[in-house]
């Protein structure tokens, strides 16, 4: 009798170990990139959204791990790692482009609710009067834009007839602007103030242009690999973000990370110049108005 009980206990323990190991293997594992650009707070909000989307979907999908790569990666290295089946990351966030949507699986929900397309300009403070006379896109064409090599909005400016100078690194573009390599550095409405605060000491001659607001539709998506694991991860992220939109937690995070900066810019007082984005996919969810914010109205 004792022998039978002993075997039963061993069997129960084995089942428990098997169940626990199954739970561990079923955990969703995400590894996102570490930027290689030193001071870089651009992605804090994005990873907070991703983490919250995972939390919201634990009842349906189970536990998860969200890790940051231990190795700093340039934008080009991010794409190389994502292209390798055993790459060191399996999710990243970026302004969309036709190339990215073809190579990787996009989660077509704008992480920042479209804020990336509302642009302020970092300039040299001595040039403020020059920019105050810019009224139209034709006026803007007399100036040179600075952007990162391969960024999605490079083609937007070039298509609009604005000369673009591309820099090889995000951090290096601030120095290029200070050195006169181009006339303005196009930044999203929340990025401009944060980056100026972070760098005005190291680049005291720079300023935020005070009269203009550019706008072009430029959704920022999470991307995963086009494989079975990526498809499962995409479903979970999509479900989590939809829950966040409905229960208000997406807007709460948005306001926490970006609300103060948007208010500080007083965007509604600026002259608006629109640039078309002809690279947008027909699958861009422009018709889902609940996903897009207009910072000019706050809705």
């Amino acid at each position: 009798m004792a022998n039978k009980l002993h075997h039963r206990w061993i069997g129960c323990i084995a089942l428990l170990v098997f169940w626990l190991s199954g739970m561990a293997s079923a955990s969703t594992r995400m590894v996102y990139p570490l930027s290689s650009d030193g001071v870089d707070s651009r992605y804090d909000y994005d990873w907070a959204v991703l983490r919250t989307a995972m939390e919201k979907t634990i009842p349906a999908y189970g536990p998860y791990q969200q890790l940051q790569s231990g190795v700093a990666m340039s934008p080009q290295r991010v794409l190389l790692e994502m292209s390798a089946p055993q790459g060191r990351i399996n999710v990243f966030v970026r302004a969309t482009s036709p190339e990215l949507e073809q190579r990787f699986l996009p989660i077509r929900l704008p992480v920042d609710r479209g804020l990336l397309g509302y642009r302020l300009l970092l300039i040299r403070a001595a040039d403020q009067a020059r920019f105050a006379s810019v009224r139209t896109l034709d006026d803007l064409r007399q100036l040179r834009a600075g952007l990162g090599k391969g960024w999605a909005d490079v083609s937007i400016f070039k298509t609009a007839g604005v000369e673009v100078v591309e820099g090889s690194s995000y951090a290096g573009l601030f120095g290029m602007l200070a050195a006169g390599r181009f006339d303005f550095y196009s930044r999203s409405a929340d990025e401009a103030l944060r980056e100026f605060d972070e760098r005005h000491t190291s680049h005291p001659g720079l300023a935020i242009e005070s009269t203009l607001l550019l706008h072009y539709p430029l959704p920022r998506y999470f991307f995963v690999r086009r494989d079975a694991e990526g498809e499962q991860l995409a479903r979970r992220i999509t479900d989590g973000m939809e829950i966040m939109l409905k229960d208000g937690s997406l807007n709460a995070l948005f306001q926490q990370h970006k609300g103060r900066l948007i208010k500080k810019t007083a965007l509604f007082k600026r002259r608006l110049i629109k640039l078309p984005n002809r690279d947008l996919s027909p699958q861009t969810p422009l018709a889902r108005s609940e996903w897009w914010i207009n910072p000019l109205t706050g809705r």
Side-chain angles (χ1 to χ4, degrees), residues 6 70 126 217 230 245:
H6 177 71
L245 181 69

Side-chain angles (χ1 to χ4, degrees), residues 17 24 39 46 65 77 82 117-118 142 147 151-152 157 170 182 201 211 240 256 261 263 270 273-274 276 292:
V17 170
V39 177
D46 304 312
Q65 295 174 288
R77 170 55 61 183
M82 284 292 295
Y118 290 89
Q142 309 308 310
L147 293 167
W151 287 5
F157 277 96
Y170 160 71
F182 49 82
T201 301
T211 63
Q256 176 188 336
L261 293 174
K263 289 179 182 178
R270 293 172 173 266
I273 298 177
K274 293 186 177 183
W292 303 88

Side-chain angles (χ1 to χ4, degrees), residues 162-218:
V162 179
E163 182 181 349
V164 176
V165 176
E166 296 181 63
S168 58
S169 79
Y170 160 71
L173 283 158
F174 297 94
M176 291 174 67
L177 172 60
R181 296 279 301 280
F182 49 82
D183 300 308
F184 66 89
Y185 186 7
S186 172
R187 309 304 296 141
S188 74
D190 64 312
E191 287 173 336
L193 268 73
R194 187 174 64 250
E195 291 167 345
F196 178 76
D197 287 344
E198 292 171 350
R199 291 175 171 81
H200 71 273
T201 301
S202 57
H203 296 92
L206 300 187
I208 298 171
E209 199 283 326
S210 61
T211 63
L212 297 173
L213 176 67
L214 308 186
H215 178 248
Y216 39 86
L218 188 62

Side-chain angles (χ1 to χ4, degrees), residues 10-247:
I10 292 176
C12 289
I13 292 171
L15 284 171
L16 179 61
V17 170
F18 176 80
W19 179 75
L20 290 173
S21 64
M23 287 292 289
S25 64
S27 177
T28 301
R29 187 172 187 269
M30 297 177 304
V31 184
Y32 62 90
L34 169 66
S35 170
S36 61
D37 287 308
V39 177
D40 190 357
S41 57
R42 288 175 294 169
Y43 304 103
D44 292 352
Y45 164 78
D46 304 312
W47 306 138
V49 170
L50 188 61
R51 186 177 306 108
T52 307
M54 293 299 103
E55 291 288 341
K56 299 287 183 181
T57 51
I58 286 176
Y61 289 87
Y64 74 97
Q65 295 174 288
Q66 183 170 322
L67 309 169
Q68 188 173 52
S69 166
V71 179
M73 298 181 185
S74 68
Q76 293 78 16
R77 170 55 61 183
V78 167
L79 300 186
L80 288 174
E81 292 289 344
M82 284 292 295
S83 298
Q86 302 303 319
R88 287 175 285 189
I89 59 173
N90 63 355
V91 62
F92 71 102
V93 66
R94 193 167 295 184
T96 192
S97 71
E99 178 195 3
L100 288 177
E101 293 194 23
Q102 184 175 16
R103 288 179 63 181
F104 308 107
L105 183 59
I107 290 91
R108 287 192 176 90
L109 299 174
V111 179
D112 68 348
R113 306 192 65 194
L115 182 64
L116 188 66
Y118 290 89
R119 315 295 289 190
L120 299 183
L121 309 181
L122 289 177
I123 64 170
R124 293 177 293 279
D127 288 344
Q128 181 61 66
R130 183 183 182 192
F131 280 86
S133 65
V134 173
R135 302 281 166 174
T136 66
L137 180 55
D138 280 337
D139 295 335
L140 192 68
R141 291 185 179 119
Q142 309 308 310
L143 303 165
R144 296 167 300 162
L147 293 167
K149 188 174 182 61
W151 287 5
D153 39 2
V154 169
S155 66
I156 294 174
F157 277 96
K158 287 184 175 179
T159 300
V162 179
E163 182 181 349
V164 176
V165 176
E166 296 181 63
S168 58
S169 79
Y170 160 71
L173 283 158
F174 297 94
M176 291 174 67
L177 172 60
R181 296 279 301 280
F182 49 82
D183 300 308
F184 66 89
Y185 186 7
S186 172
R187 309 304 296 141
S188 74
D190 64 312
E191 287 173 336
L193 268 73
R194 187 174 64 250
E195 291 167 345
F196 178 76
D197 287 344
E198 292 171 350
R199 291 175 171 81
H200 71 273
T201 301
S202 57
H203 296 92
L206 300 187
I208 298 171
E209 199 283 326
S210 61
T211 63
L212 297 173
L213 176 67
L214 308 186
H215 178 248
Y216 39 86
L218 188 62
R220 185 177 181 84
Y221 293 153
F222 291 120
F223 290 88
V224 296
R225 289 192 181 90
R226 286 189 175 276
D227 57 18
E229 179 190 274
E231 289 174 1
Q232 177 72 4
L233 184 53
R235 283 192 293 271
R236 180 165 185 170
I237 295 172
T238 299
D239 289 352
M241 290 181 67
E242 293 282 9
I243 293 170
M244 291 176 67
L245 181 69
K246 289 183 177 67
D247 70 12

